[in-house]
Amino acid sequence: MPSPANAQESPPTNLSTSFLLLPSLRHPSSFRLASAMVGLPCHVPASKLSLLLHHVLLLPVIVVAAAAAAVDGVCCSHQNLLSVHELQWGDKLLPRSTSSGRTRSHTGTAMLEMRQQHQVSRHISNHDDYVSKLLIADEARVSSLQSRISNKLPQDSSGAQVPLVSGIKLQTLNYVVTIGVGGKNMTVIVDTGSDLTWVQCKPCFYCYSQQDPLFEPSASPSYQYVPCNSTACYSLQAATGSAGVCGADQSTCSYAIGYGDGSYSRGLLGRERIDVGGASIEGFTFGCGLRNHGLFGGTAGLMGLGRTQLSLVSQTTARFGGVFSYCLPTRMLSSSGSLVLGDDPAAYKNSTPISYTRMLSDPLQAPFYFLNLTDMSVGGVALEAAGFSNGRILIDSGTVITRLVPSVYQALKAEFVKQFSGYPPAPSFSILDTCFDLSAFEEVRVPRLRLGFEGGAEMTVDVTGIFYFVKRDASQVCLAMASLQYEDQTGIIGNYQQKNQRVVYDTVASRIGFAEESCG
């Protein structure tokens, strides 16, 4: 860290940082002003500012104004100012949506409101226990994903092949949309790591509690059973890892899908009209769950946005061109993003151009979206790691915390700690081992994190996706990324790092795009 005199003579050269607002410092304006006046970095602790403020107050007004401008233009250039409530869990609940999404006037596109799972969940009574279980559940999902990717799970009806988060996580950092099924509104979890869309149905022999009424096939004139000899029934093996099971008279096809945390859904395949963002899809094949287990946060089921024949994306290719995108909001409760089906730039609000990278194909892992991670930088400093030579990484809306192979993570951690060295450390928490005590600060200067992909595409992680707040008072704030156990495992880009991004999946052109967008 340069001395105040050196800092005055030459401004910091590393301006690739972001501002993060924290809850404790009483006078943030004085804090920023004093930092600029003496040429200090923007993360000077409040305890060291009292002597500086005495001198600052003696300066002419015109110099004070110039110093304030220096904060925005030099010391903290390219900053994002963010209130702490946007990073923690204190937002008020929004009224529950009763619509199935906003209708687009453009032909071939549907847009749905995308919300945090909090909005259909119970109030969190124990914050510490809550965040601990969240990360434990996220680790269970990642372990299941790694097993599936490495083909270690048996591909039969008794195995748990397609991973999903546990109920604790589904009540927190996953995202939901409301769709119409046979004219009835159903709130479902959005998951790019699954293919089969399913909802709980009557007569339910074993169901978890949900907020929406159960779907009743017998009350819908448009519902049809999927026969055993159909293409859809044969497609279950690729979509779920489990083959369809025929009924006694061959008129029905049973499915069984298990998830990495022990949750499952079992029932019959059916066809029904669904409504998504004002667009109606006739004869959509989905699972009518009669036996379902798992704490799915009060949702009616799950929307599969994977790549096999039974996914929503594949079934609607003729309508939406095999393209979908989403923008995940930054706050837990008081904002919503969007899920867009179709390629309509008018539906996007991106502030930077969309940069695309090649979508990798893996016939053995058909549901998943892979891409090549070629480089990363922290605060403008490029990382060097052996893991970039084989940078295949999975992008997943259901995983929360990004996982990196050990060599890449260690390089990231070392550079981040180097640039963030002015802040006191805090104990590790669960899977997160790079933590800080920021309770004495109102604003901190956060190094920007950039991910580079094959073909020149890149994604700059929003400041809200850098830190995971373990403690409400910011006394334990951790870098929201973790290391995998082995170098030959597959990295995962989680949804925590995808916030405030327009992420575009073009399955026909086989590419994935990224652009910055304020999602709410």
PDB file of all heavy atoms in Angstrom, residues 225-234 246 250-253 269 271:
ATOM      1  N   TYR A 225     -52.909 -38.265 -21.214  1.00  0.00           N
ATOM      2  CA  TYR A 225     -51.806 -39.116 -20.795  1.00  0.00           C
ATOM      3  C   TYR A 225     -50.877 -39.381 -21.975  1.00  0.00           C
ATOM      4  O   TYR A 225     -51.311 -39.450 -23.122  1.00  0.00           O
ATOM      5  CB  TYR A 225     -52.326 -40.451 -20.257  1.00  0.00           C
ATOM      6  CG  TYR A 225     -53.056 -40.346 -18.943  1.00  0.00           C
ATOM      7  CD1 TYR A 225     -54.444 -40.452 -18.881  1.00  0.00           C
ATOM      8  CD2 TYR A 225     -52.354 -40.142 -17.759  1.00  0.00           C
ATOM      9  CE1 TYR A 225     -55.120 -40.363 -17.676  1.00  0.00           C
ATOM     10  CE2 TYR A 225     -53.017 -40.045 -16.542  1.00  0.00           C
ATOM     11  CZ  TYR A 225     -54.402 -40.157 -16.504  1.00  0.00           C
ATOM     12  OH  TYR A 225     -55.065 -40.060 -15.310  1.00  0.00           O
ATOM     13  N   VAL A 226     -49.588 -39.521 -21.687  1.00  0.00           N
ATOM     14  CA  VAL A 226     -48.606 -39.872 -22.713  1.00  0.00           C
ATOM     15  C   VAL A 226     -48.496 -41.396 -22.748  1.00  0.00           C
ATOM     16  O   VAL A 226     -48.187 -42.011 -21.728  1.00  0.00           O
ATOM     17  CB  VAL A 226     -47.240 -39.239 -22.415  1.00  0.00           C
ATOM     18  CG1 VAL A 226     -46.177 -39.778 -23.367  1.00  0.00           C
ATOM     19  CG2 VAL A 226     -47.324 -37.720 -22.524  1.00  0.00           C
ATOM     20  N   PRO A 227     -48.761 -42.026 -23.899  1.00  0.00           N
ATOM     21  CA  PRO A 227     -48.693 -43.499 -23.973  1.00  0.00           C
ATOM     22  C   PRO A 227     -47.268 -44.017 -23.875  1.00  0.00           C
ATOM     23  O   PRO A 227     -46.297 -43.295 -24.140  1.00  0.00           O
ATOM     24  CB  PRO A 227     -49.312 -43.810 -25.329  1.00  0.00           C
ATOM     25  CG  PRO A 227     -49.116 -42.580 -26.140  1.00  0.00           C
ATOM     26  CD  PRO A 227     -49.188 -41.431 -25.175  1.00  0.00           C
ATOM     27  N   CYS A 228     -47.172 -45.288 -23.559  1.00  0.00           N
ATOM     28  CA  CYS A 228     -45.861 -45.897 -23.326  1.00  0.00           C
ATOM     29  C   CYS A 228     -45.022 -45.993 -24.597  1.00  0.00           C
ATOM     30  O   CYS A 228     -43.799 -45.894 -24.539  1.00  0.00           O
ATOM     31  CB  CYS A 228     -46.066 -47.291 -22.739  1.00  0.00           C
ATOM     32  SG  CYS A 228     -44.547 -48.136 -22.313  1.00  0.00           S
ATOM     33  N   ASN A 229     -45.646 -46.187 -25.734  1.00  0.00           N
ATOM     34  CA  ASN A 229     -44.899 -46.387 -26.985  1.00  0.00           C
ATOM     35  C   ASN A 229     -44.584 -45.066 -27.696  1.00  0.00           C
ATOM     36  O   ASN A 229     -44.278 -45.055 -28.886  1.00  0.00           O
ATOM     37  CB  ASN A 229     -45.664 -47.315 -27.921  1.00  0.00           C
ATOM     38  CG  ASN A 229     -47.034 -46.758 -28.301  1.00  0.00           C
ATOM     39  OD1 ASN A 229     -47.438 -45.716 -27.783  1.00  0.00           O
ATOM     40  ND2 ASN A 229     -47.734 -47.443 -29.191  1.00  0.00           N
ATOM     41  N   SER A 230     -44.631 -43.949 -26.984  1.00  0.00           N
ATOM     42  CA  SER A 230     -44.414 -42.635 -27.594  1.00  0.00           C
ATOM     43  C   SER A 230     -42.937 -42.250 -27.553  1.00  0.00           C
ATOM     44  O   SER A 230     -42.151 -42.750 -26.744  1.00  0.00           O
ATOM     45  CB  SER A 230     -45.243 -41.576 -26.868  1.00  0.00           C
ATOM     46  OG  SER A 230     -44.792 -41.438 -25.539  1.00  0.00           O
ATOM     47  N   THR A 231     -42.586 -41.324 -28.442  1.00  0.00           N
ATOM     48  CA  THR A 231     -41.216 -40.794 -28.445  1.00  0.00           C
ATOM     49  C   THR A 231     -40.885 -40.118 -27.127  1.00  0.00           C
ATOM     50  O   THR A 231     -39.753 -40.214 -26.623  1.00  0.00           O
ATOM     51  CB  THR A 231     -41.045 -39.794 -29.599  1.00  0.00           C
ATOM     52  OG1 THR A 231     -41.330 -40.436 -30.835  1.00  0.00           O
ATOM     53  CG2 THR A 231     -39.631 -39.238 -29.632  1.00  0.00           C
ATOM     54  N   ALA A 232     -41.866 -39.433 -26.539  1.00  0.00           N
ATOM     55  CA  ALA A 232     -41.642 -38.734 -25.273  1.00  0.00           C
ATOM     56  C   ALA A 232     -41.259 -39.711 -24.171  1.00  0.00           C
ATOM     57  O   ALA A 232     -40.369 -39.430 -23.354  1.00  0.00           O
ATOM     58  CB  ALA A 232     -42.879 -37.946 -24.874  1.00  0.00           C
ATOM     59  N   CYS A 233     -41.922 -40.866 -24.131  1.00  0.00           N
ATOM     60  CA  CYS A 233     -41.610 -41.859 -23.108  1.00  0.00           C
ATOM     61  C   CYS A 233     -40.193 -42.395 -23.293  1.00  0.00           C
ATOM     62  O   CYS A 233     -39.451 -42.582 -22.319  1.00  0.00           O
ATOM     63  CB  CYS A 233     -42.628 -42.992 -23.147  1.00  0.00           C
ATOM     64  SG  CYS A 233     -42.535 -44.129 -21.741  1.00  0.00           S
ATOM     65  N   TYR A 234     -39.810 -42.622 -24.549  1.00  0.00           N
ATOM     66  CA  TYR A 234     -38.454 -43.098 -24.827  1.00  0.00           C
ATOM     67  C   TYR A 234     -37.404 -42.039 -24.463  1.00  0.00           C
ATOM     68  O   TYR A 234     -36.253 -42.373 -24.177  1.00  0.00           O
ATOM     69  CB  TYR A 234     -38.315 -43.463 -26.304  1.00  0.00           C
ATOM     70  CG  TYR A 234     -39.160 -44.646 -26.735  1.00  0.00           C
ATOM     71  CD1 TYR A 234     -39.806 -44.650 -27.967  1.00  0.00           C
ATOM     72  CD2 TYR A 234     -39.317 -45.753 -25.908  1.00  0.00           C
ATOM     73  CE1 TYR A 234     -40.589 -45.728 -28.374  1.00  0.00           C
ATOM     74  CE2 TYR A 234     -40.102 -46.839 -26.298  1.00  0.00           C
ATOM     75  CZ  TYR A 234     -40.732 -46.810 -27.527  1.00  0.00           C
ATOM     76  OH  TYR A 234     -41.506 -47.877 -27.907  1.00  0.00           O
ATOM     77  N   CYS A 246     -43.769 -48.618 -18.324  1.00  0.00           N
ATOM     78  CA  CYS A 246     -45.080 -48.736 -18.953  1.00  0.00           C
ATOM     79  C   CYS A 246     -46.136 -49.233 -17.977  1.00  0.00           C
ATOM     80  O   CYS A 246     -45.849 -50.059 -17.104  1.00  0.00           O
ATOM     81  CB  CYS A 246     -45.019 -49.706 -20.142  1.00  0.00           C
ATOM     82  SG  CYS A 246     -43.899 -49.159 -21.446  1.00  0.00           S
ATOM     83  N   GLN A 250     -50.324 -50.273 -21.405  1.00  0.00           N
ATOM     84  CA  GLN A 250     -49.476 -49.496 -22.308  1.00  0.00           C
ATOM     85  C   GLN A 250     -50.006 -48.085 -22.589  1.00  0.00           C
ATOM     86  O   GLN A 250     -49.477 -47.382 -23.449  1.00  0.00           O
ATOM     87  CB  GLN A 250     -49.280 -50.221 -23.646  1.00  0.00           C
ATOM     88  CG  GLN A 250     -48.750 -51.646 -23.539  1.00  0.00           C
ATOM     89  CD  GLN A 250     -47.292 -51.665 -23.128  1.00  0.00           C
ATOM     90  OE1 GLN A 250     -46.459 -51.065 -23.793  1.00  0.00           O
ATOM     91  NE2 GLN A 250     -46.983 -52.335 -22.033  1.00  0.00           N
ATOM     92  N   SER A 251     -51.037 -47.669 -21.866  1.00  0.00           N
ATOM     93  CA  SER A 251     -51.640 -46.361 -22.164  1.00  0.00           C
ATOM     94  C   SER A 251     -50.982 -45.226 -21.382  1.00  0.00           C
ATOM     95  O   SER A 251     -51.262 -44.052 -21.647  1.00  0.00           O
ATOM     96  CB  SER A 251     -53.138 -46.382 -21.849  1.00  0.00           C
ATOM     97  OG  SER A 251     -53.352 -46.620 -20.460  1.00  0.00           O
ATOM     98  N   THR A 252     -50.152 -45.550 -20.422  1.00  0.00           N
ATOM     99  CA  THR A 252     -49.491 -44.523 -19.623  1.00  0.00           C
ATOM    100  C   THR A 252     -47.987 -44.781 -19.557  1.00  0.00           C
ATOM    101  O   THR A 252     -47.522 -45.903 -19.750  1.00  0.00           O
ATOM    102  CB  THR A 252     -50.047 -44.474 -18.186  1.00  0.00           C
ATOM    103  OG1 THR A 252     -49.837 -45.740 -17.558  1.00  0.00           O
ATOM    104  CG2 THR A 252     -51.528 -44.132 -18.182  1.00  0.00           C
ATOM    105  N   CYS A 253     -47.252 -43.724 -19.282  1.00  0.00           N
ATOM    106  CA  CYS A 253     -45.798 -43.802 -19.144  1.00  0.00           C
ATOM    107  C   CYS A 253     -45.412 -43.155 -17.818  1.00  0.00           C
ATOM    108  O   CYS A 253     -45.685 -41.975 -17.589  1.00  0.00           O
ATOM    109  CB  CYS A 253     -45.114 -43.078 -20.304  1.00  0.00           C
ATOM    110  SG  CYS A 253     -43.311 -42.962 -20.161  1.00  0.00           S
ATOM    111  N   LEU A 269     -46.250 -39.167 -17.174  1.00  0.00           N
ATOM    112  CA  LEU A 269     -46.082 -38.137 -18.200  1.00  0.00           C
ATOM    113  C   LEU A 269     -47.444 -37.750 -18.749  1.00  0.00           C
ATOM    114  O   LEU A 269     -48.322 -38.610 -18.967  1.00  0.00           O
ATOM    115  CB  LEU A 269     -45.215 -38.653 -19.343  1.00  0.00           C
ATOM    116  CG  LEU A 269     -43.689 -38.596 -19.209  1.00  0.00           C
ATOM    117  CD1 LEU A 269     -43.050 -38.910 -20.553  1.00  0.00           C
ATOM    118  CD2 LEU A 269     -43.206 -37.254 -18.693  1.00  0.00           C
ATOM    119  N   ARG A 271     -49.675 -34.500 -21.258  1.00  0.00           N
ATOM    120  CA  ARG A 271     -49.627 -33.363 -22.186  1.00  0.00           C
ATOM    121  C   ARG A 271     -50.710 -32.383 -21.808  1.00  0.00           C
ATOM    122  O   ARG A 271     -51.847 -32.770 -21.520  1.00  0.00           O
ATOM    123  CB  ARG A 271     -49.807 -33.828 -23.639  1.00  0.00           C
ATOM    124  CG  ARG A 271     -48.635 -34.618 -24.199  1.00  0.00           C
ATOM    125  CD  ARG A 271     -48.740 -34.771 -25.710  1.00  0.00           C
ATOM    126  NE  ARG A 271     -47.611 -35.532 -26.247  1.00  0.00           N
ATOM    127  CZ  ARG A 271     -47.638 -36.825 -26.522  1.00  0.00           C
ATOM    128  NH1 ARG A 271     -48.761 -37.505 -26.322  1.00  0.00           N
ATOM    129  NH2 ARG A 271     -46.576 -37.440 -26.997  1.00  0.00           N
TER     130      ARG A 271
END
